[in-house]
Every structure is written in structure tokens, then in C-alpha cells.
Amino acid sequence: MASAGMQILAFVLALLGVFGATVATLLPNWKVSADVGSNIITAISQMQGLWMDCTWYSTGMFSCTLKYSVLSLPAYLQTARTAMVLSCVLAALGLCLASLGLKCTRWGGGRRAKGRTAMASGVCFVLAGVLCLIPASWFTNEVITSFLDSSVPESSKFEPGGAVYVAFVSAGFLFAGGSIFCTSCPGKRYGPPALIFASPDKLQQQQHQQQQQQLHPELLHPDQPQTHPEQLHTEQLHHDPLHQDQQYGGPLQPPAPDSRAGYSLQDYV
């Protein structure tokens, strides 16, 4: 099971992954215009993101246009939108569960409950990393394929922007944090195996048997002959050496008192 220090490290990595995935989802530079051939003089750079397209003009103006129509977008862009939003939601849920599953916190229940919560948070982080990695990879493949296509004019060629790299790094952070939290499975360390997986009825039956054995020890060995308390007391007296010496006048019997111990010198003067 992961230690408290490893869990804190995993929590920090997951927090960086959540922050990076959120920033990558909102950034408009998923792909930027490539500096090849003759460009338009009035525009310096063009950027396209998941939610808007932005243009930086040579005059210093910066304008963005939102993508209102979802159905008019290509399939890879629609998939990237959906996957990145789900990745952020799952990562945020994983942070909430991880805060309850950390060993250094007082809330979240006992050790076994904390272990299960930490493992659930690790699963959320891993799924969030997968959802963040898929759109980034698909988006990068589409941009590179379009760039290498000779039929696309040079003014319309783009290359991957900074948001794609942020998405890749965030997916790595989420994978690392989720993998550490997934090792927090409690297993069989926090109690006897027979008591952990036993049903309540079976536990009550075992407790009842233990109480009966304490009240009636003869139940432990039913084949041996039973001994009554009076017979047991007689046998103890029979085997007691002090009792035997006192009964038969043995060496342990105290000496008789001296008959001359009561006379003094004045009785003879």
C-alpha cells in the first residue's frame, strides 16, 4: 500500500494534471498557422482552438470568433471537446475522493475506507488521463496529416500549438498520480482474514461458541470423562503433600510443645 508521502506526491501530480487539462481545454492555440511560403501581410498569426478561432494582426489587434455551431465542426474537434470536458470532470471528482483517502487527513473513515476511497480516486485519475490523451493524439494526427497534404495551400497549413503539449503533459501527470493511488488497495492487512470477509451471522455464531467454551470447558474435549467439582477437590487434597504429612504425621508435622517450657527457677528455690 502506498505510504502517506507517496499519496501526497500523487495528489500534487494529480492537481497539476487537473490544472493543465483545464487550461488546455480553454486555450485557443490547439493549432497555429505555420510559417511556410508567402503569408498574408495583414495577419501575423492565426490560432484555432476547441471553442474559438483567434487572429493576431500586424496592427496589434487581437480578435477571436466563437464556434457556435457544433454540428458544423469536424469529428475530431467534436470528440476533443467532449473528451476534454469529461476529463476535467473526472479529474475534479478524483481530487475530491483523494482528499478523503489521504492517510494524513482525519476525515474519510477508517483505514480500509480510506484505502478504497484512494483506489477509487486513482481510477478516476487514470480515466481522466485517457480522456485527455485521446483528443490530444487525434488532434495532433489530423494537424500533421493536413500539413503533409500537398493539396492544401500553404496559407492554410497549421502545426500543433501549445495547448496540445499542455494536454499531453497533463495526461502524464494524471496517469502518474492515478497509478500511485491505485496501489492503495487495503488488502488483508487491517484485521484477521477470517473476520474481514465473514458475514455478520457467522461472526455472531463464532462469538457464541467462544462464550459457550469459556462457560463449559468440557466442550473443548468431549471424549474425555467429565470430572465433578467434588471429585476434583478430593483429588487435589489427595495429591497435596502438605495435607498428606498432616494426616499421617509426616516430617512436615509441627513438633509438640515442650512440657518444661512453662517452669521457672523460682519453682525449685
Side-chain angles (χ1 to χ4, degrees), residues 2 6 12 15 47 52 60 62 66 71 85 108 111 122 139 144 158 162 168 182 218 229 233 235 248:
M6 292 296 294
V12 173
L15 186 62
M47 297 178 294
M52 63 183 69
F62 185 79
L66 294 176
L71 299 178
V85 171
R111 292 184 176 180
F139 201 98
I144 293 176
F158 293 87
F168 278 117
C182 284
E218 64 273 6
H233 180 67
E235 293 180 356
Y248 300 105

Side-chain angles (χ1 to χ4, degrees), residues 13-140:
L13 292 176
L15 186 62
L16 292 176
V18 174
F19 180 75
T22 305
V23 171
T25 305
L26 300 177
L27 283 178
N29 58 340
W30 277 70
K31 60 180 181 179
V32 296
S33 58
D35 296 332
V36 291
S38 58
N39 293 329
I40 303 176
I41 300 176
T42 57
I44 296 178
S45 177
Q46 292 181 353
M47 297 178 294
Q48 294 184 9
L50 302 180
W51 312 96
M52 63 183 69
D53 296 336
C54 298
T55 306
W56 188 280
Y57 295 94
S58 59
T59 57
M61 295 180 60
F62 185 79
S63 64
C64 294
T65 303
L66 294 176
K67 299 177 179 179
Y68 294 103
S69 179
V70 179
L71 299 178
S72 62
L73 299 176
Y76 73 93
L77 196 54
Q78 296 180 9
T79 305
R81 276 186 173 187
T82 306
M84 291 302 296
V85 171
L86 290 178
S87 175
C88 295
V89 172
L90 275 178
L93 178 61
L95 284 179
C96 297
L97 294 176
S99 61
L100 297 176
L102 289 174
K103 292 182 178 179
C104 58
T105 57
R106 293 183 178 272
W107 55 79
R111 292 184 176 180
R112 287 186 57 80
K114 279 182 172 292
R116 292 174 180 175
T117 306
M119 189 174 180
S121 67
V123 173
C124 290
F125 288 140
V126 171
L127 292 178
V130 172
L131 291 175
C132 185
L133 183 63
I134 290 176
S137 302
W138 194 358
F139 201 98
T140 303

